[in-house]
Every structure is written in structure tokens, then in C-alpha cells.
Amino acid sequence: MKCNLCPRKCNADREKQEGVCRMPWDIYAARAALHMWEEPCISGENGSGAVFFTGCTLRCVFCQNHEIAAGKRGQKIDGSHLAEIFLKLQQQKANNINLVTPTQYVLPIIAAVKKAKAQGLKIPVVYNTSGYERVETLKNLEGIVDVYLPDFKYTDTTYAKRYSNAPDYFDVTKAALAEMVRQHPAPQFADKQEAAVRGIEEGIMTGGVIVRHLMLPGLLKDTKAVIRYLYETYGDSIYISIMNQYTPMPFVENIPELNRKVTHREYDK
């Protein structure tokens, strides 16, 4: 079967060759564990049940998880094993199942979630993505994904092409986000009393959309454009997470503007 799950539409037969994501059809995952460092309404005190999938459809030059995204780390698993992982994370009291960079495995993930739900999976499913998604692919996730956690990296085509080789990033992500919000038009949270026990004032998110924006050094104007677009379009129907933890990796040494951290002044602005 030819693969066109992501906006690259590389049409690769991933049973015989790797796609743009650098992965075959088989599922590869680099890590599955409780993750304490997501947004508070995702991780809470118990942690998010994160499954880090190998490969990526966007491949940004500044990637903070380069070895996983480039397909250099990961273990082959089948759908039944993946369903078992979901159930094990639930047994470990995870607040949710957090699918990290899942786009290239959407079809087997859907099957694994259905299998796990038939065996007792009850916690929410979080789709943790670069935001660079096809609407047609996202529609397959309706009823499967409870919380969408997309990035929204750029509005400027120049930056999108230079750093992610995706000049269509804004238009594609804008359409993808609209589909995510269509599926989940308002944030929903777990029982407040239960949330208070876990130390989260607003509760653990059980449905909705949180849009992340990782600030990049020197791109303050575009960051403001991203935030302005999100707020003017969606108001309080989504959450916005503005992240300042960008860390220059060794492979950006030849990209001077990215070879530094975001300053406190930039983030405050």
C-alpha cells in the first residue's frame, strides 16, 4: 500500500522502502514511560503515559529529539504489543496515553487503541504532533483521540522552508488545527475533586486542544503572529502553551541565528 498519511504525500510503498518519515510500515517506538514534564493539565502528578514513536514527517533542523526523529532509536513492536503498552501505562496510573510523533503509524495506532479499549483502556488518548497533518488523516482519529496537542511553529513561509523544509506549513497546520477543534470544540476536564487530590487546580484535561509554540531565537515577530492568529481565530476554545526551552543542538552550529537560546527578554515580550 502506498503511503500518503502526511502532507508530504511521498507515495512510498513502506513495505519495500522507507517513506519521507524514514520508517517502514512496521511500528517502531523508542520509549514508553510515565512522563512528568508535559503541561500540568496533561502530566498532573501521576504523569502522562508517553509513547515516543520513531521517525518524523517534518524533520526540523533544530529538532530536540533528533535521534528518535531521524529513525536512529527504536524497537520494532506489533499492534498487540502496543495495546499491551497502553494498558500497562494505565496500570501505572498514567493520566492519559500520550502518542508522541505518531503520524506515520496512524493506522496501526487506531487498531491498537481499539484493541486496548476492548480490554479495558479508559484513560484519554493524547495526539502529540508537529501540527503538520493532513485533514483526511485526522478525520480517521475522530472518536479515537480525546486531546490534540499540536505544535504551531510558524506563520512565515520563509522560516517554515528554511527550518522544516515545509513552505506550506502554515496553510497545512491551519487546516489541521481547524479539524482538531471541530472534533473537540472546547476543553474538558476530569472531576474537580479528583483533580484536587492530584494537585491540579483546573483538572486533568480529558478532551480538547492545546496548541504548543516553541519560541525560536530571533523569531519574536513570527511568534507574536502565531499567538495572534491562534487567539483571534479560536479565543478561549483552545489552550496555548508558549515554550521557552529551545536548546541549540550541535547540528545547528552552522545556522548562526539558531545557535543560541531564547532570551528572557524575548520570552517576556
Side-chain angles (χ1 to χ4, degrees):
M1 184 171 70
K2 301 296 180 69
C3 183
N4 291 294
L5 287 171
C6 85
R8 305 289 192 187
K9 292 190 271 190
C10 68
N11 205 39
D13 182 349
R14 288 170 54 200
E15 290 184 350
K16 299 177 181 178
Q17 64 185 105
E18 296 176 353
V20 169
C21 58
R22 292 195 176 177
M23 302 310 300
W25 274 121
D26 299 312
I27 307 169
Y28 281 79
R31 185 170 182 263
L34 294 177
H35 188 43
M36 305 297 180
W37 301 283
E38 303 286 30
E39 285 73 10
C41 58
I42 297 294
S43 284
E45 291 188 348
N46 292 346
S48 178
V51 181
F52 291 84
F53 292 99
T54 306
C56 181
T57 60
L58 194 56
R59 310 288 308 288
C60 305
V61 296
F62 53 81
C63 182
Q64 310 289 277
N65 292 305
H66 175 71
E67 288 195 355
I68 297 175
K72 296 179 180 179
R73 288 180 57 192
Q75 178 180 342
K76 182 179 175 180
I77 58 177
D78 62 23
S80 294
H81 187 186
L82 183 58
E84 290 172 4
I85 289 171
F86 295 160
L87 292 167
K88 183 177 180 181
L89 289 167
Q90 178 173 261
Q91 290 170 1
Q92 294 172 351
K93 309 299 183 185
N95 288 311
N96 42 59
I97 299 300
N98 187 351
L99 309 170
V100 184
T101 321
T103 311
Q104 59 273 17
Y105 305 113
V106 158
L107 300 181
I109 284 173
I110 290 172
V113 170
K114 288 180 177 178
K115 187 179 185 70
K117 285 185 174 182
Q119 296 175 7
L121 182 70
K122 296 180 180 179
I123 56 177
V125 174
V126 178
Y127 193 81
N128 189 336
T129 167
S130 68
Y132 194 61
E133 299 278 352
R134 290 191 70 192
V135 170
E136 294 82 358
T137 299
L138 294 173
K139 286 181 176 179
N140 292 319
L141 295 167
E142 190 164 8
I144 298 292
V145 168
D146 302 287
V147 177
Y148 282 104
L149 188 58
D151 292 341
F152 207 113
K153 297 179 183 295
Y154 327 94
T155 65
D156 191 303
T157 298
T158 302
Y159 297 135
K161 179 174 175 57
R162 184 185 304 165
Y163 302 138
S164 299
N165 192 28
D168 59 348
Y169 180 88
F170 177 65
D171 289 335
V172 168
T173 305
K174 182 169 63 172
L177 179 56
E179 171 60 21
M180 295 174 191
V181 176
R182 183 195 67 79
Q183 292 181 25
H184 296 288
Q188 296 179 338
F189 295 90
D191 178 76
K192 293 281 186 179
Q193 190 172 6
E194 178 187 352
V197 172
R198 299 187 184 191
I200 303 299
E201 182 179 348
E202 71 273 35
I204 298 298
M205 184 175 271
T206 57
V209 180
I210 304 176
V211 182
R212 288 171 161 170
H213 175 70
L214 176 67
M215 286 193 68
L216 295 175
L219 270 64
L220 177 59
K221 183 177 179 182
D222 199 55
T223 284
K224 289 184 175 182
V226 168
I227 304 306
R228 185 180 304 111
Y229 171 77
L230 294 174
Y231 184 68
E232 289 179 352
T233 306
Y234 296 105
D236 293 331
S237 63
I238 64 171
Y239 275 19
I240 301 174
S241 177
I242 309 173
M243 303 184 294
N244 68 345
Q245 66 261 45
Y246 171 76
T247 302
M249 306 300 280
F251 41 82
V252 300
E253 289 179 354
N254 296 324
I255 311 174
E257 69 271 24
L258 294 182
N259 198 23
R260 67 171 177 85
K261 291 187 176 182
V262 172
T263 67
H264 292 298
R265 178 179 172 83
E266 285 173 315
Y267 187 74
D268 288 344
K269 284 188 175 183

